[in-house]
Amino acid sequence: MSKKSFRQAINEALRLEMRRDPRVILMGEDVAGGRGGTSGVTDAWGGVLGVTKGLQTEFGEDRVFDTPISEASYIGAAAGAAATGLRPVAELMFVDFVGCCLDQIMNQAAKFRYMFGGKARTPLVIRAMYGAGFNAAAQHSQALYPLFTHIPGLKVVIPSSPYEAKGLLIEAIRDDDPVIFLENKVMYDDEEDVPDGSYTIPFGEANLTREGDDVTIVAFGRMVNFANEAADRLEKSGISCTVIDPRTTSPLDTGTILDCVADTGRLVIVDESSPRCNLATDVAALVAEEAFDALKAPIRRVVPPHTPVPFSSTLEALYMPNADKIEAAVKSVMSYRMKEEV
Amino acid sequence: MSGAITPVTMPKFGLAMTEGKLADWLIQVGETVSAGQELADIETSKITNGYESPVSGVLRRQVVAAGETLPVGALLGVVADASVADDAIDAFIAEFQANNASADTEASAADAEPSTVSVDGLDIRVKDVGAAEGSQLPVLLIHGFGGDLTSWMLNQSALSHDRRVIAFDLPGHGESSKSAGEGKPSSFAGTVAKLLETLDADKVHVIGHSLGGAISLELARLAPEKVASLSLIAPAGLGPDVNMTFINGFISEDRRKTLEPILQLLVHDKSLISRRMIENIIRFKRLDGATGALRTIADACFPDGKQADNLRATLENYPGPVQVIWGENDEILSSAPAQSLPDKVAVSVLSETGHMPQMEKVSDVNKAISAFLEKND
């Protein structure tokens, strides 16, 4: 056990699974770097943020390879490779690029099991970076997990820490269905203790990072850190919060969310994706339908405005949910009073 | 410019950059560099970039070696004219570093970190602390089913002020290899005997808890010359009963809510089972092979819900000193066998104590063990 960054945890998960199972391959734009160039240097880059660095050196060009800049072709190839016996991990770089290959994901990989009468397996993992806060502008900053969550047949994973990332990625690689694995690009240097060996964290089991009596906060990915920060501050002012990290948006651990809301009676949802039809609306609908009687206050969502992610760092900071906004939302649901019945 | 000394510091390549790694020096000490020429490669979380020298001059010092990661603004090297005296360079560096002395102090207080040794092809994690010199014999701590070396976190350092104290993770446990072999106390004892050889510990006082107590007894049978004394805490092997609700629940329950009541069986004061402790056990059980190893051990040690091994004869035959410590309210292994042990065994049954006396009655247990060890060195 030692401290590892989010980046190292993901690299180690890939490395351990590639050692364990020769069917695991890595493909994507610049996952190694140097292919087709004249420098003779291989494994130069290891992905745009260095996550897959060193893997081509250990496993060779047959198992770790750079693809042309054509998402439609290599995501399609990965889906086909999965359907025919390999366990590909394809890197989409920025999740914003999914527009170029959505058919391969939505109409092909996600549908194989269903349309082949349950007989097809598609053990495909698509890794991609998501999220704002990196000054990467509107085409490289989106949090598109609601898009994937919307599509039946996909599993969608959003790890919130290095420990979570390693265990969830190993689970994703061993899963027989297509899994979208989304990494928040601002978190790559976050560090915590991560075991050296292999371990798996099951899908569809939420993690409670804080347990309290007054308010339930559901947060996704990087937002879990903000929710924890807000919960720790609120604890000092006498408000105790439960923080739920669902880990996977599909499958979603609805049981844990409903249980916690039944205990606290108040719900705040933190989601950095665009506010219409996002996970916050999804969880709000779930609780409004299934736990209406438990609610002591309206559900509050902490979400960005319905705009593209701004490039200006000042505007980007205003756009993002943060601990202050979560704290304010929790205080507002705590101070809510039902109107007297007349 | 001939007298000027220019610091070369970690650059900030992008808004998000807070630190960078000096990947490689491209100019060696003593070589001349012109302004704009690349001095070094700097690696960040986003890119690797050449760092251009801000001035012309001679690279007089490389303060940082290739491969080191430093915060933005940290001193990497110094460029100056060849005519500047070495003393002036040294003074400049000293002053720069003094002004930038930041949070460099945290690395010093490193506790004894566990290390990994290889025994019989298995990786065994060992935490080896305390003085090796002196006439006091070392202590070996053997944890129980589902535990690891941190089971002794409240005891190991307390016992180590005047002697070497070794804790380790049994095979299948903690961060050791997740292969439990046959999963019997005797097979574990064989591995422990080899571990002692690997660690150059010829003769030790053995302290075993629960299943570790049964392993201690088997070690005393297999390698009596290595065992100076036995301290058995709520040991397995002395009676038939075992709480299979605990054993099976420990193996199968993987969520905090359902595991918590299982772990509470371990202690009399239920509040001792913390969130953190439950989380650590869940994390252990997620490791590849962990629950399989636990199942192997449970099947080997407790077939049909009873303890397979009766080690009472082993206890009677062991010629060295033995003490037994048991919690009166043990819900895993009843303390009943403590009532009928041979006269030579020093027995203490602690009131309001469950299956983890070394955790629930820390000072009582540490005192009893220290006194026993001193008497039997």
Side-chain angles (χ1 to χ4, degrees):
Chain A
M1 184 104 81
S2 59
K3 282 223 187 305
K4 292 176 185 127
S5 68
F6 197 68
R7 173 188 292 102
Q8 287 171 303
I10 292 165
N11 184 286
E12 199 167 87
L14 293 167
R15 190 182 298 273
L16 290 170
E17 283 309 286
M18 292 188 77
R19 284 181 188 162
R20 175 178 173 271
D21 186 344
R23 295 171 300 174
V24 179
I25 60 164
L26 246 55
M27 58 201 291
E29 295 159 9
D30 289 320
V31 290
R35 189 178 181 112
T38 52
S39 67
V41 178
T42 57
D43 204 2
W45 216 5
V48 69
L49 294 190
V51 177
T52 46
K53 182 81 180 161
L55 296 175
Q56 191 189 55
T57 303
E58 177 166 348
F59 299 103
E61 291 189 6
D62 287 346
R63 293 184 67 196
V64 180
F65 50 91
D66 295 338
T67 62
I69 305 177
S70 170
E71 288 78 9
S73 69
Y74 77 82
I75 294 294
T84 51
L86 293 178
R87 307 188 81 87
V89 180
E91 185 186 314
L92 193 49
M93 202 180 283
F94 293 89
V95 73
D96 314 67
F97 304 163
V98 71
C100 297
C101 56
L102 192 56
D103 187 69
Q104 284 70 14
I105 298 171
M106 174 173 73
N107 282 327
Q108 307 304 327
K111 300 288 192 286
F112 287 164
R113 183 190 282 277
Y114 182 76
M115 296 191 77
F116 294 135
K119 291 175 183 168
R121 295 183 309 152
T122 313
L124 165 67
V125 178
I126 297 175
R127 290 179 47 240
M129 285 183 272
Y130 80 95
F134 206 69
N135 276 114
Q139 297 158 317
H140 300 79
S141 297
Q142 297 169 86
L144 294 177
Y145 41 81
L147 189 70
F148 300 107
T149 308
H150 186 70
I151 300 169
L154 298 179
K155 293 176 177 170
V156 184
V157 185
I158 318 174
S160 63
S161 77
Y163 173 83
E164 295 283 319
K166 182 173 170 184
L168 288 167
L169 182 53
I170 293 177
E171 178 80 5
I173 294 170
R174 295 181 189 178
D175 195 284
D176 279 340
D177 288 312
V179 178
I180 311 294
F181 189 88
L182 296 169
E183 302 160 16
N184 191 302
K185 60 178 84 72
V186 184
M187 290 170 57
Y188 281 123
D189 290 320
D190 291 4
E191 287 192 342
E192 70 177 343
D193 281 336
V194 177
D196 298 330
S198 297
Y199 60 94
T200 54
I201 299 175
F203 292 168
E205 284 193 8
N207 185 31
L208 304 188
T209 60
R210 297 288 185 279
E211 287 183 56
D213 302 322
D214 299 321
V215 179
T216 296
I217 306 174
V218 177
F220 298 90
R222 180 176 174 226
M223 297 302 109
V224 174
N225 297 330
F226 293 162
N228 288 338
E229 188 185 334
D232 292 344
R233 276 196 236 152
L234 287 157
E235 186 77 47
K236 287 177 192 139
S237 53
I239 300 172
S240 78
C241 299
T242 290
V243 177
I244 303 179
D245 169 9
R247 287 180 172 139
T248 54
T249 62
S250 192
L252 182 68
D253 184 354
T254 55
T256 294
I257 294 171
L258 293 171
D259 284 351
C260 292
V261 173
D263 288 345
T264 60
R266 299 178 187 89
L267 175 63
V268 169
I269 313 160
V270 193
D271 183 350
E272 73 165 294
S273 66
S274 285
R276 300 294 314 283
C277 303
N278 69 357
L279 263 298
T281 60
D282 190 53
V283 171
L286 167 81
V287 170
E289 249 178 16
E290 304 287 338
F292 185 75
D293 288 343
L295 289 172
K296 300 171 187 164
I299 297 163
R300 282 290 306 270
R301 301 184 304 144
V302 181
V303 290
H306 193 58
T307 73
V309 179
F311 171 62
S312 149
S313 53
T314 309
L315 291 178
E316 192 184 38
L318 287 170
Y319 171 94
M320 287 292 287
N322 59 32
D324 287 344
K325 293 178 187 177
I326 298 167
E327 197 177 343
V330 168
K331 284 182 171 163
S332 83
V333 298
M334 282 301 289
S335 60
Y336 178 82
R337 294 288 172 270
M338 298 273 185
K339 289 196 182 75
E340 296 279 334
E341 283 186 29
V342 187
Chain B
M1 282 289 287
S2 67
I5 301 173
T6 305
V8 176
T9 58
M10 181 60 73
K12 189 170 173 67
F13 285 142
L15 288 164
M17 179 171 170
T18 55
E19 60 176 24
K21 179 164 132 187
L22 195 141
D24 216 349
W25 283 103
L26 303 176
I27 300 291
Q28 298 312 312
V29 172
E31 290 180 359
T32 301
V33 63
S34 51
Q37 190 182 349
E38 290 193 350
L39 264 177
D41 276 334
I42 305 290
E43 207 175 284
T44 73
S45 52
K46 197 165 165 63
I47 44 170
T48 299
N49 237 351
Y51 179 31
E52 297 170 359
S53 179
V55 293
S56 298
V58 174
L59 181 64
R60 297 294 297 272
R61 291 281 191 288
Q62 293 174 351
V63 177
V64 170
E68 286 194 58
T69 297
L70 295 134
V72 168
L75 188 66
L76 306 178
V78 174
V79 175
D81 194 87
S83 65
V84 177
D86 278 346
D87 288 355
I89 301 279
D90 291 337
F92 178 88
I93 292 172
E95 194 189 347
F96 190 100
Q97 301 291 42
N99 290 338
N100 286 272
S102 48
D104 255 0
T105 44
E106 55 196 70
S108 57
D111 202 0
E113 286 296 318
S115 58
T116 302
V117 299
S118 182
V119 179
D120 261 356
L122 300 172
D123 286 340
I124 302 291
R125 183 175 69 149
V126 176
K127 186 168 178 177
D128 194 343
V129 304
E133 68 269 20
S135 57
Q136 292 88 349
L137 289 169
V139 169
L140 180 72
L141 302 167
I142 308 179
H143 67 77
F145 176 85
D148 64 19
L149 57 80
T150 65
S151 303
W152 307 104
M153 64 187 179
L154 303 175
N155 319 101
Q156 189 174 12
S157 66
L159 298 174
S160 70
H161 60 88
D162 62 350
R163 68 177 81 233
R164 181 182 179 195
V165 183
I166 302 159
F168 68 103
D169 296 339
L170 284 166
H173 291 78
E175 292 182 33
S176 291
S177 296
K178 298 296 172 294
S179 161
E182 288 175 46
K184 296 172 71 69
S186 55
S187 62
F188 285 124
T191 306
V192 173
K194 286 176 189 158
L195 173 68
L196 288 174
E197 282 164 24
T198 306
L199 297 174
D200 286 327
D202 299 332
K203 191 168 195 181
V204 294
H205 295 292
V206 178
I207 302 175
H209 171 240
S210 192
L211 178 67
I215 297 168
S216 304
L217 284 164
E218 289 288 25
L219 182 68
R221 180 175 64 81
L222 292 170
E225 74 287 353
K226 292 186 190 301
V227 180
S229 73
L230 285 172
S231 295
L232 308 175
I233 303 174
L238 299 181
D241 295 333
V242 55
N243 185 340
M244 291 309 287
T245 302
F246 172 79
I247 298 292
N248 290 325
F250 189 93
I251 296 170
S252 63
E253 299 302 341
D254 53 10
R255 305 204 67 170
R256 193 177 299 146
K257 227 176 178 171
T258 50
L259 186 59
E260 185 171 22
I262 300 291
L263 295 180
Q264 284 177 343
L265 295 170
L266 284 169
V267 287
H268 181 65
D269 175 2
K270 305 301 181 195
S271 71
L272 286 172
I273 301 301
S274 67
R275 238 186 94 87
R276 185 78 219 158
M277 181 177 170
I278 302 168
E279 180 64 22
N280 284 341
I281 289 169
I282 291 173
R283 288 186 176 205
F284 155 66
K285 276 151 48 72
R286 285 185 187 133
L287 291 167
D288 276 5
T291 52
L294 292 175
R295 179 47 68 196
T296 299
I297 296 166
D299 289 347
C301 294
F302 317 120
D304 313 318
K306 295 283 174 196
Q307 296 193 49
D309 290 323
N310 185 344
L311 304 176
R312 195 168 277 270
T314 306
L315 175 65
E316 278 161 16
N317 294 337
Y318 172 66
V322 184
Q323 73 164 340
V324 168
I325 300 171
W326 223 310
E328 187 181 43
N329 313 97
D330 194 322
E331 293 174 65
I332 312 294
L333 300 174
S334 155
S335 63
Q339 310 307 327
S340 57
L341 293 172
D343 287 345
K344 66 165 184 175
V345 179
V347 179
S348 17
V349 176
L350 304 174
S351 62
E352 295 187 358
T353 307
H355 187 60
M356 304 283 289
Q358 76 275 32
M359 183 177 138
E360 271 191 279
K361 291 279 153 52
V362 177
S363 68
D364 290 350
V365 170
N366 286 348
K367 270 185 216 157
I369 290 175
S370 292
F372 182 75
L373 298 184
E374 269 169 40
K375 206 166 66 184
N376 296 302
D377 262 331

